[in-house]
Amino acid sequence: MKRILVIGAGGQIGTELVPHLQKVYGHDNVIGADLKDEAVAKIGSYARAIKLDALDFNAFGQAVKDNNIDAIFNLVALLSATGEKNPELAWKINMGALVNSLTLAKEFKAAVFTPSSIGAFGVSTPHDKTPQDTVMRPDTIYGVCKVTGELLSDYYYHRFGVDARSVRFPGIISNGCLPGGGTTDYAVEVFYEILKTGHYTCPIPEDSYMDMLYMPDALNAVVQLMEADPSKLKHRNSFNITCMSFCPRELFAKIKERIPSATFDYNVDPVKAAIADSWPNMMDDSCAREEWGWNPQWHIDAMVDDMLKAIGAKLGK
Ligand code: AKB
């Protein structure tokens, strides 16, 4: 039985990953840590929660030691668009949390999961059927951190035997906690805005394709990869995974089929547009399928139905 510490647990992924891990590994075997008091209070309503600055190596180490942690799930990150506003801070936070996770994993013989992202790719990467192993020259500080993180995690595996595994997450669509500061956020924001006001102004060009994943598939991916037979893994950091690829125009058409009164327009953010344009249109995830059985279930129609239902209920619509 694993004893898991999730750092950065108060964000979009952590809010749903902690309860998911509790179901799989037992309620008391999962601890959620976050820097912010409000996040710690929120996590504390469904799991053991600790306030932790993942950049404070000693405090992080003490938490790992005191709780007999044998798996660290590192979700600490400034996302792509926010990262461009303060690249030095993004490097400090994104790399600081990862370096501390890997160093402590080496010391305490723990496994590490740190998501990478489609952000690890750049303009010079093939955009269609983006291969697992290909050109990785990202154009954002977020992407630079992701590629560095992938290399460092593989280094810790080969050099010190740290069981580090990872996936390259596409945009994740969910209805728990809002994402913040990402380029793919529009695909979540639109549901709230349409249900609240009937209108959405999109910052991404209408024909910009990006990979997307619905949260239930993302949660399954994390557990499935961390439970995979290590002898079957030819790759570790990180696996391409995806389920759908669409552009804003296509997503909005799906919403309009269900809510005919919904209206959309565009006010393109040049920073986000350039980032979206540099990322894959659709990744090839066949290595994940072959090496650990990745088999996502949620395609666009089912996702849109579920998002409208869940967010509608949340907003009392
Ligand atoms: C972002 O848009 O920055 C993230 C990501 C795809 O990694 N959602």
Side-chain angles (χ1 to χ4, degrees):
M1 190 48 93
K2 283 193 170 64
R3 293 272 304 164
I4 297 172
L5 178 64
V6 181
I7 59 169
Q12 185 200 10
I13 300 176
T15 302
E16 299 197 42
L17 184 61
V18 168
H20 184 73
L21 293 173
Q22 284 177 312
K23 277 190 216 132
V24 179
Y25 298 105
H27 184 274
D28 296 338
N29 290 318
V30 186
I31 298 171
D34 206 280
L35 177 64
K36 297 195 193 97
D37 288 322
E38 322 85 80
V40 176
K42 206 170 95 191
I43 300 161
S45 65
Y46 50 82
R48 235 195 97 206
I50 53 176
K51 183 175 161 83
L52 176 68
D53 177 358
L55 303 190
D56 179 341
F57 182 76
N58 291 333
F60 191 173
Q62 202 62 49
V64 171
K65 191 170 172 218
D66 290 349
N67 295 291
N68 296 318
I69 295 301
D70 56 17
I72 298 167
F73 287 58
N74 165 28
L75 304 178
V76 174
L78 288 194
L79 297 185
S80 55
T82 305
E84 290 314 290
K85 292 189 187 135
N86 193 341
E88 288 79 19
L89 183 66
W91 174 264
K92 191 173 156 208
I93 292 175
N94 296 8
M95 293 314 301
L98 177 62
V99 169
N100 284 350
S101 299
L102 289 170
T103 311
L104 290 168
K106 177 183 154 202
E107 190 177 330
F108 291 96
K109 305 204 178 330
V112 180
F113 174 83
T114 301
S116 185
S117 157
I118 50 174
F121 299 115
V123 171
S124 53
T125 302
H127 275 37
D128 295 313
K129 297 204 184 115
T130 304
Q132 171 67 38
D133 302 308
T134 185
V135 181
M136 300 184 77
R137 307 284 299 179
D139 305 282
T140 60
I141 190 67
Y142 176 68
V144 171
C145 293
K146 289 303 184 194
V147 174
T148 312
E150 290 191 16
L151 293 172
L152 196 63
S153 301
D154 270 347
Y155 175 79
Y156 267 70
Y157 168 64
H158 290 297
R159 178 85 167 77
F160 304 116
V162 172
D163 187 3
R165 308 179 187 190
S166 166
V167 292
R168 293 182 186 131
F169 273 142
I172 295 180
I173 300 169
S174 66
N175 49 60
C177 172
L178 275 165
T183 305
T184 57
D185 294 3
Y186 87 88
V188 178
E189 285 162 3
V190 60
F191 289 97
Y192 285 88
E193 287 308 310
I194 290 299
L195 285 166
K196 274 193 227 159
T197 69
H199 181 75
Y200 180 62
T201 299
C202 182
I204 304 294
E206 61 173 346
D207 55 355
S208 195
Y209 281 84
M210 287 184 276
D211 285 289
M212 299 282 172
L213 203 58
Y214 197 34
M215 185 61 97
D217 279 331
L219 300 176
N220 284 337
V222 176
V223 171
Q224 217 184 338
L225 174 60
M226 293 312 277
E227 290 297 326
D229 176 351
S231 70
K232 302 257 163 48
L233 300 180
K234 296 191 195 106
H235 298 83
R236 276 180 165 264
N237 301 282
S238 296
F239 285 92
N240 286 1
I241 59 167
T242 186
C243 184
M244 44 192 150
S245 166
F246 53 72
C247 62
R249 189 176 12 88
E250 288 175 355
L251 176 62
F252 302 165
K254 294 285 180 189
I255 295 174
K256 212 166 163 58
E257 271 172 28
R258 290 149 174 91
I259 306 180
S261 60
T263 55
F264 306 89
D265 62 10
Y266 295 84
N267 181 12
V268 170
D269 172 337
V271 174
K272 287 187 177 178
I275 296 174
D277 203 38
S278 74
W279 288 354
N281 297 330
M282 177 92 190
M283 292 187 286
D284 173 0
D285 61 3
S286 51
C287 288
R289 289 173 187 272
E290 281 156 26
E291 293 176 41
W292 49 275
W294 166 240
N295 184 20
Q297 303 298 316
W298 287 85
H299 292 273
I300 188 164
D301 282 297
M303 178 277 287
V304 170
D305 286 337
D306 203 54
M307 283 291 281
L308 289 172
K309 197 168 138 208
I311 297 170
K314 209 158 123 175
L315 299 175
K317 301 273 171 176

